[in-house]
Structures are given as structure tokens and as C-alpha cells.
Coordinates of all heavy atoms in Angstrom, one line a residue:
M189 N 88.3 85.1 46.4 CA 87.1 85.9 46.8 C 86.4 85.2 47.9 O 85.8 85.9 48.8 CB 86.2 86.0 45.5 CG 85.2 87.0 45.7 SD 85.9 88.6 45.8 CE 84.6 89.6 45.4
K190 N 86.4 83.9 47.9 CA 85.8 83.1 49.0 C 86.5 83.4 50.3 O 85.8 83.5 51.4 CB 85.8 81.6 48.7 CG 84.8 81.2 47.7 CD 84.8 79.7 47.5 CE 83.9 79.3 46.4 NZ 83.9 77.8 46.3
K191 N 87.8 83.5 50.3 CA 88.5 83.8 51.5 C 88.1 85.2 52.1 O 88.0 85.3 53.3 CB 90.0 83.7 51.3 CG 90.5 82.3 51.0 CD 92.0 82.4 50.8 CE 92.5 80.9 50.5 NZ 94.0 80.9 50.3
I192 N 88.0 86.1 51.2 CA 87.6 87.5 51.7 C 86.2 87.4 52.3 O 86.0 88.0 53.3 CB 87.7 88.5 50.5 CG1 89.2 88.6 50.1 CG2 87.1 89.8 50.9 CD1 89.4 89.5 48.9
A193 N 85.3 86.7 51.6 CA 83.9 86.6 52.1 C 83.9 85.9 53.4 O 83.2 86.3 54.4 CB 83.1 85.9 51.1
L194 N 84.7 84.8 53.6 CA 84.7 84.1 54.9 C 85.3 85.0 55.9 O 84.9 85.0 57.1 CB 85.5 82.8 54.7 CG 84.8 81.7 53.9 CD1 85.8 80.5 53.7 CD2 83.6 81.2 54.7
A195 N 86.4 85.7 55.6 CA 87.0 86.6 56.6 C 86.0 87.7 57.0 O 85.9 88.0 58.2 CB 88.3 87.2 56.0
A196 N 85.3 88.2 56.0 CA 84.3 89.3 56.4 C 83.2 88.7 57.3 O 82.8 89.4 58.3 CB 83.7 89.8 55.1
V197 N 82.7 87.5 57.0 CA 81.7 86.9 57.8 C 82.2 86.6 59.2 O 81.6 86.9 60.2 CB 81.2 85.6 57.2 CG1 80.3 84.8 58.1 CG2 80.4 85.9 55.9
A198 N 83.5 86.2 59.3 CA 84.1 85.9 60.6 C 84.2 87.2 61.4 O 83.9 87.2 62.6 CB 85.4 85.2 60.4
V199 N 84.7 88.3 60.8 CA 84.8 89.6 61.4 C 83.5 90.1 61.9 O 83.3 90.6 63.0 CB 85.5 90.6 60.5 CG1 85.5 92.0 61.1 CG2 87.0 90.2 60.3
L200 N 82.5 90.0 61.0 CA 81.1 90.4 61.4 C 80.6 89.6 62.6 O 79.9 90.1 63.5 CB 80.2 90.4 60.2 CG 80.4 91.4 59.2 CD1 79.5 91.2 58.0 CD2 80.2 92.8 59.7
G201 N 80.8 88.3 62.5 CA 80.4 87.4 63.6 C 81.0 87.8 65.0 O 80.4 87.8 66.0
L202 N 82.3 88.1 64.9 CA 83.0 88.5 66.1 C 82.5 89.9 66.6 O 82.4 90.1 67.8 CB 84.5 88.6 65.9 CG 85.2 87.2 65.7 CD1 86.7 87.5 65.4 CD2 85.2 86.4 67.0
G203 N 82.2 90.7 65.7 CA 81.7 92.1 66.0 C 80.3 91.9 66.7 O 80.0 92.6 67.7
L204 N 79.5 91.1 66.2 CA 78.2 90.9 66.8 C 78.3 90.2 68.2 O 77.5 90.5 69.1 CB 77.3 90.0 65.9 CG 76.8 90.8 64.6 CD1 76.0 89.8 63.7 CD2 75.9 91.9 65.0
A205 N 79.2 89.3 68.3 CA 79.4 88.6 69.6 C 79.9 89.6 70.6 O 79.6 89.5 71.8 CB 80.4 87.5 69.4
A206 N 80.6 90.6 70.2 CA 81.1 91.6 71.2 C 80.0 92.5 71.6 O 80.1 93.2 72.7 CB 82.3 92.4 70.5
C207 N 79.0 92.7 70.8 CA 77.9 93.6 71.2 C 76.9 92.8 72.0 O 75.8 92.3 71.5 CB 77.2 94.1 69.9 SG 78.3 95.2 69.0
Q208 N 77.1 92.6 73.3 CA 76.2 91.9 74.1 C 75.3 92.9 74.8 O 75.6 94.0 75.1 CB 76.9 90.9 75.0 CG 78.0 91.6 75.8 CD 78.7 90.6 76.7 OE1 78.1 89.8 77.3 NE2 80.1 90.7 76.7
D209 N 74.2 92.3 75.3 CA 73.2 93.1 76.0 C 73.7 93.3 77.4 O 73.9 92.4 78.2 CB 71.8 92.4 75.9 CG 70.7 93.3 76.6 OD1 71.0 94.5 76.8 OD2 69.7 92.7 76.8
N210 N 73.8 94.6 77.8 CA 74.3 94.9 79.2 C 73.1 95.2 80.1 O 73.3 95.7 81.2 CB 75.3 96.1 79.2 CG 76.6 95.7 78.6 OD1 77.0 94.5 78.6 ND2 77.2 96.6 77.9
A211 N 71.9 95.0 79.6 CA 70.7 95.4 80.4 C 70.7 94.8 81.8 O 70.4 95.5 82.8 CB 69.4 95.1 79.7
P212 N 71.0 93.5 82.0 CA 71.0 92.9 83.3 C 72.0 93.6 84.2 O 71.7 93.8 85.4 CB 71.3 91.4 83.1 CG 70.9 91.1 81.7 CD 71.1 92.4 80.9
D213 N 73.2 93.8 83.7 CA 74.2 94.5 84.5 C 73.7 95.9 84.9 O 73.9 96.4 86.0 CB 75.5 94.6 83.8 CG 76.1 93.2 83.6 OD1 75.8 92.3 84.4 OD2 76.9 93.0 82.7
N214 N 73.1 96.6 84.0 CA 72.6 97.9 84.2 C 71.5 97.9 85.3 O 71.4 98.8 86.1 CB 72.2 98.6 82.9 CG 73.3 98.9 82.0 OD1 74.5 98.9 82.4 ND2 73.0 99.0 80.7
N215 N 70.7 96.9 85.2 CA 69.6 96.8 86.2 C 70.1 96.6 87.6 O 69.6 97.2 88.5 CB 68.6 95.7 85.8 CG 67.8 96.0 84.6 OD1 67.6 97.2 84.2 ND2 67.2 95.0 83.9
V216 N 71.1 95.7 87.7 CA 71.7 95.5 89.0 C 72.4 96.8 89.5 O 72.2 97.1 90.7 CB 72.7 94.3 88.9 CG1 73.6 94.2 90.2 CG2 72.0 93.0 88.6
S217 N 73.0 97.5 88.7 CA 73.7 98.7 89.1 C 72.6 99.7 89.5 O 72.8 100.4 90.6 CB 74.5 99.3 87.9 OG 75.0 100.5 88.3
T218 N 71.5 99.8 88.8 CA 70.5 100.7 89.2 C 69.9 100.3 90.5 O 69.6 101.2 91.4 CB 69.4 100.7 88.1 OG1 69.9 101.1 86.9 CG2 68.2 101.7 88.5
E219 N 69.6 99.0 90.8 CA 69.1 98.6 92.0 C 70.1 98.9 93.2 O 69.6 99.3 94.3 CB 68.8 97.1 92.0 CG 67.6 96.7 91.2 CD 67.4 95.2 91.1 OE1 67.8 94.5 92.1 OE2 66.9 94.7 90.1
N220 N 71.4 98.7 92.9 CA 72.3 99.0 94.0 C 72.3 100.5 94.3 O 72.4 100.9 95.5 CB 73.7 98.6 93.6 CG 73.9 97.1 93.6 OD1 73.1 96.4 94.2 ND2 74.9 96.6 92.8
T221 N 72.2 101.3 93.3 CA 72.2 102.8 93.5 C 71.0 103.1 94.3 O 71.0 103.9 95.2 CB 72.2 103.5 92.1 OG1 73.4 103.1 91.4 CG2 72.1 105.0 92.3
I222 N 69.8 102.6 93.9 CA 68.6 102.9 94.6 C 68.7 102.5 96.1 O 68.3 103.2 97.0 CB 67.4 102.2 93.9 CG1 67.1 102.9 92.6 CG2 66.1 102.3 94.8 CD1 66.1 102.2 91.7
E223 N 69.2 101.3 96.4 CA 69.3 100.8 97.7 C 70.3 101.7 98.5 O 70.0 102.0 99.7 CB 69.8 99.3 97.7 CG 68.7 98.4 97.3 CD 69.2 96.9 97.1 OE1 70.4 96.7 97.5 OE2 68.5 96.1 96.7
T224 N 71.4 102.1 97.9 CA 72.3 102.9 98.6 C 71.7 104.3 99.0 O 71.9 104.8 100.1 CB 73.6 103.1 97.7 OG1 74.2 101.8 97.5 CG2 74.6 104.0 98.4
E225 N 71.0 104.8 98.0 CA 70.3 106.1 98.3 C 69.2 106.0 99.3 O 69.1 106.9 100.2 CB 69.8 106.7 97.0 CG 70.9 107.2 96.0 CD 70.4 107.6 94.7 OE1 69.1 107.6 94.5 OE2 71.2 108.0 93.8
A226 N 68.5 104.9 99.3 CA 67.5 104.7 100.3 C 68.1 104.5 101.7 O 67.5 105.1 102.6 CB 66.6 103.5 99.9
A227 N 69.2 103.8 101.8 CA 69.8 103.7 103.0 C 70.3 105.0 103.6 O 70.2 105.3 104.8 CB 71.0 102.7 102.9
A228 N 70.9 105.8 102.7 CA 71.4 107.2 103.1 C 70.2 108.0 103.6 O 70.3 108.7 104.6 CB 72.1 107.8 101.9
D229 N 69.1 108.0 102.8 CA 67.9 108.7 103.3 C 67.4 108.3 104.6 O 67.0 109.1 105.5 CB 66.8 108.6 102.2 CG 67.1 109.3 100.9 OD1 68.1 110.1 100.9 OD2 66.5 109.1 99.9
T230 N 67.4 106.9 104.8 CA 66.9 106.4 106.1 C 67.8 106.8 107.2 O 67.3 107.2 108.3 CB 66.8 104.9 106.0 OG1 66.0 104.5 104.9 CG2 66.4 104.2 107.3
N231 N 69.1 106.8 107.0 CA 70.1 107.2 108.0 C 69.9 108.6 108.4 O 70.0 109.0 109.5 CB 71.5 106.8 107.6 CG 71.8 105.4 107.6 OD1 71.1 104.6 108.3 ND2 72.8 104.9 106.8
A232 N 69.7 109.5 107.3 CA 69.5 110.9 107.6 C 68.2 111.2 108.4 O 68.2 112.0 109.3 CB 69.5 111.6 106.2
A233 N 67.2 110.4 108.1 CA 65.9 110.6 108.8 C 66.1 110.2 110.3 O 65.6 110.8 111.2 CB 64.8 109.8 108.2
I234 N 66.8 109.1 110.5 CA 67.1 108.6 111.9 C 67.9 109.6 112.6 O 67.6 110.0 113.8 CB 67.7 107.2 111.9 CG1 66.7 106.2 111.4 CG2 68.3 106.9 113.3 CD1 67.4 104.8 111.1
D235 N 68.9 110.1 112.0 CA 69.8 111.2 112.6 C 69.0 112.4 113.0 O 69.1 113.0 114.0 CB 71.0 111.5 111.7 CG 72.0 110.4 111.6 OD1 71.9 109.5 112.4 OD2 72.8 110.5 110.7
G236 N 68.1 112.8 112.0 CA 67.3 114.0 112.3 C 66.3 113.8 113.5 O 66.1 114.7 114.3
T237 N 65.8 112.6 113.6 CA 64.9 112.2 114.7 C 65.6 112.3 116.0 O 65.2 112.8 117.0 CB 64.2 110.9 114.5 OG1 63.5 110.9 113.2 CG2 63.3 110.5 115.6
E238 N 66.8 111.7 116.0 CA 67.6 111.7 117.2 C 68.0 113.1 117.6 O 68.0 113.5 118.8 CB 68.9 110.8 117.0 CG 68.6 109.4 116.9 CD 69.8 108.5 116.6 OE1 70.9 109.1 116.3 OE2 69.7 107.3 116.6
N239 N 68.3 114.0 116.6 CA 68.7 115.4 116.9 C 67.5 116.1 117.5 O 67.6 117.0 118.4 CB 69.2 116.1 115.7 CG 70.6 115.5 115.3 OD1 71.3 114.9 116.1 ND2 70.9 115.7 114.0
L240 N 66.3 115.8 117.0 CA 65.0 116.4 117.5 C 64.8 116.0 118.9 O 64.4 116.9 119.8 CB 63.8 116.0 116.6 CG 63.7 116.7 115.3 CD1 62.5 116.1 114.5 CD2 63.6 118.2 115.4
G241 N 65.1 114.8 119.3 CA 64.9 114.3 120.6 C 65.9 115.1 121.6 O 65.5 115.5 122.7
A242 N 67.1 115.2 121.1 CA 68.1 115.9 121.9 C 67.7 117.4 122.1 O 67.9 118.0 123.2 CB 69.5 115.8 121.3
A243 N 67.2 118.0 121.0 CA 66.8 119.4 121.1 C 65.6 119.6 122.0 O 65.6 120.5 122.8 CB 66.4 119.9 119.7
A244 N 64.7 118.6 122.0 CA 63.6 118.7 122.9 C 64.0 118.5 124.4 O 63.6 119.2 125.3 CB 62.5 117.6 122.6
D245 N 65.0 117.6 124.6 CA 65.5 117.5 126.0 C 66.2 118.8 126.4 O 66.0 119.2 127.6 CB 66.5 116.3 126.0 CG 65.9 115.0 125.9 OD1 64.7 114.9 126.2 OD2 66.6 114.0 125.7
N246 N 66.9 119.4 125.5 CA 67.6 120.6 125.9 C 66.6 121.7 126.2 O 66.8 122.5 127.1 CB 68.6 121.1 124.8 CG 69.8 120.2 124.6 OD1 70.1 119.4 125.6 ND2 70.4 120.2 123.5
A247 N 65.5 121.8 125.4 CA 64.5 122.8 125.7 C 63.8 122.6 127.0 O 63.6 123.5 127.7 CB 63.5 122.8 124.5
L248 N 63.5 121.3 127.3 CA 62.9 121.0 128.6 C 63.9 121.4 129.8 O 63.4 121.9 130.8 CB 62.5 119.6 128.7 CG 61.3 119.2 127.8 CD1 61.1 117.7 127.9 CD2 60.1 119.9 128.3
D249 N 65.1 121.1 129.6 CA 66.1 121.4 130.6 C 66.2 122.9 130.8 O 66.2 123.4 132.0 CB 67.5 120.9 130.3 CG 67.6 119.4 130.4 OD1 66.8 118.8 131.1 OD2 68.6 118.8 129.9
A250 N 66.2 123.7 129.7 CA 66.2 125.1 129.8 C 64.9 125.7 130.5 O 65.0 126.6 131.3 CB 66.3 125.7 128.4
A251 N 63.8 125.1 130.1 CA 62.5 125.5 130.8 C 62.6 125.2 132.3 O 62.2 126.1 133.1 CB 61.3 124.9 130.1
G252 N 63.1 124.1 132.6 CA 63.2 123.7 134.0 C 64.1 124.6 134.8 O 63.8 125.1 135.9
N253 N 65.2 125.0 134.1 CA 66.2 125.9 134.8 C 65.5 127.3 134.9 O 65.8 128.0 136.0 CB 67.4 126.0 133.9 CG 68.3 124.8 134.0 OD1 68.1 123.9 134.9 ND2 69.1 124.6 133.0
S254 N 64.8 127.7 134.0 CA 64.1 129.0 134.1 C 63.1 129.0 135.2 O 63.0 130.0 136.0 CB 63.4 129.4 132.8 OG 64.3 129.5 131.7
L255 N 62.3 127.9 135.3 CA 61.4 127.9 136.5 C 62.1 127.9 137.8 O 61.7 128.5 138.8 CB 60.5 126.6 136.3 CG 59.5 126.7 135.2 CD1 58.8 125.4 135.1 CD2 58.5 127.8 135.5
S256 N 63.2 127.1 137.9 CA 64.0 127.1 139.1 C 64.5 128.4 139.4 O 64.5 128.9 140.6 CB 65.1 126.1 138.9 OG 65.9 126.0 140.1
N257 N 65.0 129.1 138.4 CA 65.5 130.5 138.7 C 64.4 131.4 139.1 O 64.7 132.3 140.0 CB 66.2 131.0 137.4 CG 67.5 130.3 137.0 OD1 68.1 129.6 137.9 ND2 67.9 130.4 135.8
A258 N 63.3 131.3 138.5 CA 62.1 132.2 138.9 C 61.8 131.9 140.4 O 61.5 132.8 141.2 CB 61.0 131.9 138.0
G259 N 61.7 130.6 140.7 CA 61.4 130.2 142.1 C 62.4 130.8 143.1 O 62.1 131.3 144.2
N260 N 63.7 130.7 142.7 CA 64.8 131.2 143.5 C 64.6 132.8 143.7 O 64.8 133.3 144.8 CB 66.1 130.9 143.0 CG 66.5 129.4 143.1 OD1 65.9 128.7 144.0 ND2 67.4 129.0 142.3
A261 N 64.2 133.4 142.6 CA 64.1 134.9 142.7 C 62.9 135.2 143.6 O 63.0 136.2 144.4 CB 63.8 135.4 141.3
V262 N 61.8 134.5 143.6 CA 60.7 134.8 144.5 C 61.1 134.5 145.9 O 60.8 135.3 146.8 CB 59.5 133.9 144.1 CG1 58.4 133.9 145.1 CG2 58.9 134.3 142.7
S263 N 61.8 133.4 146.1 CA 62.3 133.1 147.5 C 63.2 134.2 148.0 O 63.1 134.6 149.2 CB 63.0 131.8 147.5 OG 63.5 131.5 148.7
D264 N 64.1 134.7 147.1 CA 65.1 135.7 147.5 C 64.3 137.0 147.8 O 64.6 137.7 148.8 CB 66.1 136.0 146.4 CG 67.1 134.8 146.3 OD1 67.2 134.0 147.2 OD2 67.8 134.8 145.2
A265 N 63.3 137.3 147.0 CA 62.5 138.5 147.2 C 61.8 138.4 148.5 O 61.7 139.4 149.3 CB 61.5 138.7 146.1
A266 N 61.2 137.3 148.8 CA 60.5 137.1 150.1 C 61.5 137.3 151.3 O 61.2 137.9 152.3 CB 59.9 135.7 150.2
A267 N 62.7 136.7 151.1 CA 63.7 136.9 152.2 C 64.1 138.3 152.3 O 64.3 138.8 153.5 CB 64.9 136.0 151.9
D268 N 64.2 139.1 151.2 CA 64.6 140.5 151.3 C 63.5 141.3 152.0 O 63.7 142.2 152.8 CB 64.8 141.1 149.9 CG 66.0 140.5 149.2 OD1 66.9 140.0 150.0 OD2 66.2 140.7 148.0
V269 N 62.2 140.9 151.7 CA 61.1 141.6 152.4 C 61.1 141.3 153.9 O 61.0 142.2 154.7 CB 59.7 141.2 151.8 CG1 58.6 141.7 152.6 CG2 59.6 141.7 150.4
A270 N 61.4 140.1 154.2 CA 61.5 139.7 155.7 C 62.6 140.4 156.3 O 62.5 140.9 157.5 CB 61.6 138.2 155.8
N271 N 63.7 140.5 155.7 CA 64.9 141.2 156.2 C 64.6 142.7 156.4 O 65.0 143.3 157.4 CB 66.1 141.0 155.4 CG 66.7 139.6 155.5 OD1 66.4 138.9 156.4 ND2 67.4 139.2 154.4
G272 N 63.9 143.2 155.4 CA 63.5 144.7 155.5 C 62.6 144.9 156.6 O 62.8 145.9 157.3
Q273 N 61.7 144.0 156.8 CA 60.7 144.2 158.0 C 61.5 144.1 159.3 O 61.2 144.8 160.2 CB 59.6 143.2 157.9 CG 58.6 143.4 156.8 CD 57.6 142.3 156.7 OE1 57.8 141.2 157.2 NE2 56.5 142.6 156.0
D274 N 62.4 143.2 159.3 CA 63.2 143.0 160.6 C 64.1 144.3 160.8 O 64.2 144.7 162.0 CB 64.2 141.8 160.5 CG 63.5 140.5 160.6 OD1 62.3 140.5 161.0 OD2 64.1 139.4 160.3
N275 N 64.6 144.9 159.8 CA 65.4 146.1 159.9 C 64.5 147.2 160.4 O 64.9 148.1 161.2 CB 66.1 146.4 158.6 CG 67.2 145.5 158.2 OD1 67.7 144.8 159.1 ND2 67.5 145.4 157.0
V276 N 63.3 147.3 159.8 CA 62.4 148.4 160.3 C 62.0 148.2 161.7 O 61.9 149.2 162.5 CB 61.1 148.4 159.3 CG1 60.1 149.4 159.9 CG2 61.5 148.9 157.9
A277 N 61.8 147.0 162.1 CA 61.4 146.7 163.5 C 62.5 146.8 164.4 O 62.3 146.8 165.7 CB 60.8 145.3 163.6
G278 N 63.7 146.9 163.9 CA 64.9 147.1 164.8 C 65.5 145.8 165.3 O 66.1 145.8 166.3
R279 N 65.3 144.8 164.6 CA 65.8 143.5 165.1 C 67.2 143.2 164.5 O 67.7 143.4 163.6 CB 64.9 142.3 164.7 CG 63.6 142.4 165.4 CD 62.8 141.2 165.1 NE 61.4 141.4 165.3 CZ 60.5 140.7 164.8 NH1 60.8 139.6 164.1 NH2 59.2 141.0 165.0

């Protein structure tokens, strides 16, 4: 009976030894997850900012092109008027 009791105590002791606290490992895993997600969020924000800058540059280029086209149209219209006057005057 003593052998059975000793064996039972040994088995229970091994069972308790196997049940260790994983909280420190879980905390490290949680910290790594948080850092990874924070890095991903930061990178996404930086990419978004860079894309906004490119979009603003493109919009300014388009506005500049529109103004240039309008200026060219006014110049062409003035040249057409001058040519029309020359034609009326017989030149």
C-alpha cells in the first residue's frame, strides 16, 4: 500500500510540475503582437500621407495645365481676332 501511495504522490508531483504558469510567455506574445500591429498602423499612416502628397502634387499639376490651356486659348482667340481684322482690312 505504501508503494501505491508513493507512486500516486510521485505522479501527482509530476502532474503539478507540468502545470507551469505561462503568463510571462503570454505577456511577451501580447507585447509582440501589439508592437507588430502598431508598426503596421504606423506604416499605413505614412503610406497614406505620402499618397496624399502625391495626390496634391497631381492636382496642382492639373490646375497649372488648365491655366496654361486657358492662357493658350485666350492667346489663340486674340490671334484669330487679329487675323480676322487683317482679312477684313484686305491685308
Side-chain angles (χ1 to χ4, degrees):
M189 193 65 159
K190 287 182 181 180
K191 289 182 182 180
I192 293 173
L194 286 175
V197 169
V199 169
L200 288 174
L202 289 174
L204 288 175
C207 293
Q208 50 182 317
D209 185 13
N210 291 330
D213 292 337
N214 292 340
N215 288 340
V216 169
S217 177
T218 300
E219 287 179 30
N220 288 340
T221 300
I222 291 169
E223 289 174 5
T224 301
E225 290 176 359
D229 291 345
T230 301
N231 290 338
I234 290 170
D235 290 344
T237 302
E238 290 173 355
N239 291 339
L240 286 176
D245 286 345
N246 290 341
L248 287 173
D249 287 344
N253 290 340
S254 294
L255 288 173
S256 178
N257 291 342
N260 289 340
V262 169
S263 177
D264 291 345
D268 290 344
V269 169
N271 289 337
Q273 288 174 346
D274 287 345
N275 289 340
V276 169
R279 294 186 205 162

